[in-house]
Amino acid sequence: MKINKIMRAEDMRCAKIQRLIDLLCPKGNNILEVLAEDGIGPFDVGKRIKVDGKNIRIKNRDYIAAELQKVTINTEGSMAIYDRNGRKLCGSIDLNVSSKNVELFCLWVRKNNVPAEVVSGTRERIFQWCVLVVGVLLVIVYKVLNIINHGG
C-alpha cells in the first residue's frame, strides 16, 4: 500500500513538472491559454519572489521582465531565473515546482516574453544520489563506531 502511495505521489510530481514545462514552452495553440490571462498579478511566488505587472522582485531587488535573460526548468522540477549577464538570480530553493503560485509565474514568463528553457535534471539527480550515499555511509560509520565503543 505504501509503495502505491509513493508511486502515485511521484506520478503527480512528474505530471506537475510536465504541466509547468507546457506552460513555459507551449507547443502549437497552447499560447492561447497565456493570452487569455489578462492582467496577471500582483502575486507572490514562494517566499522571496513577488510579481506585479511587468515587475518582479527577487530577494529584495527589483527587475523588469525585459532584464531577465531566461527562466529554466529541469526535469527534476527545479527552476532558475537568470539576468541579462547570465547570473543566476534565484534557484531551486526559492523557485521549484512546489513553490506557491508557480503556475501563475509560468504564465507571467510567457506573457512577458521571457525566454524559457528546459534543461536536463541529470546533475541534480547525481547530487541527490551522492547525498543519499553519504547519508547511508554516515549511518554505517556511526553504527560501527558505536559497536567499537561499546565493546562489541
Side-chain angles (χ1 to χ4, degrees):
M1 292 282 206
K2 193 166 190 159
I3 292 175
N4 287 339
K5 287 182 180 180
I6 292 170
M7 290 176 67
R8 192 173 32 223
E10 180 64 17
D11 289 344
M12 288 173 51
R13 186 182 75 82
C14 289
K16 184 166 185 178
I17 292 169
Q18 187 57 54
R19 169 85 173 127
L20 295 177
I21 289 171
D22 291 343
L23 286 173
L24 285 170
C25 307
K27 296 177 179 82
N29 290 335
N30 287 351
I31 194 71
L32 296 176
E33 181 177 6
V34 175
L35 296 176
E37 284 292 321
D38 195 26
I40 298 174
F43 61 92
D44 295 343
V45 184
K47 294 180 180 179
R48 294 179 158 184
I49 302 169
K50 298 184 184 325
V51 174
D52 188 4
K54 290 194 173 287
N55 301 315
I56 184 168
R57 176 175 279 249
I58 303 169
K59 299 178 186 175
N60 297 322
R61 255 190 102 202
D62 293 324
Y63 303 90
I64 58 172
E67 292 179 292
L68 303 179
Q69 179 186 37
K70 67 181 175 181
V71 172
T72 62
I73 182 169
N74 74 30
T75 54
E76 293 296 310
S78 295
M79 300 174 75
I81 302 173
Y82 294 87
D83 69 6
R84 287 286 175 202
N85 298 321
R87 185 175 57 101
K88 186 188 285 190
L89 301 175
C90 70
S92 60
I93 293 174
D94 298 318
L95 183 62
N96 57 57
V97 296
S98 63
S99 298
K100 178 178 76 170
N101 293 325
V102 69
E103 290 91 353
L104 272 177
F105 174 72
C106 292
L107 289 172
W108 180 85
V109 167
R110 293 302 304 163
K111 184 176 178 96
N112 288 286
N113 297 317
V114 177
E117 182 179 320
V118 180
V119 296
S120 169
T122 304
R123 286 179 24 197
E124 184 172 334
R125 202 170 314 115
I126 290 169
F127 178 73
Q128 290 169 348
W129 279 103
C130 288
V131 168
L132 177 67
V133 168
V134 167
V136 169
L137 288 174
L138 286 173
V139 168
I140 292 170
V141 167
Y142 173 77
K143 295 279 187 186
V144 168
L145 290 176
N146 202 17
I147 291 171
I148 292 171
N149 287 336
H150 289 83

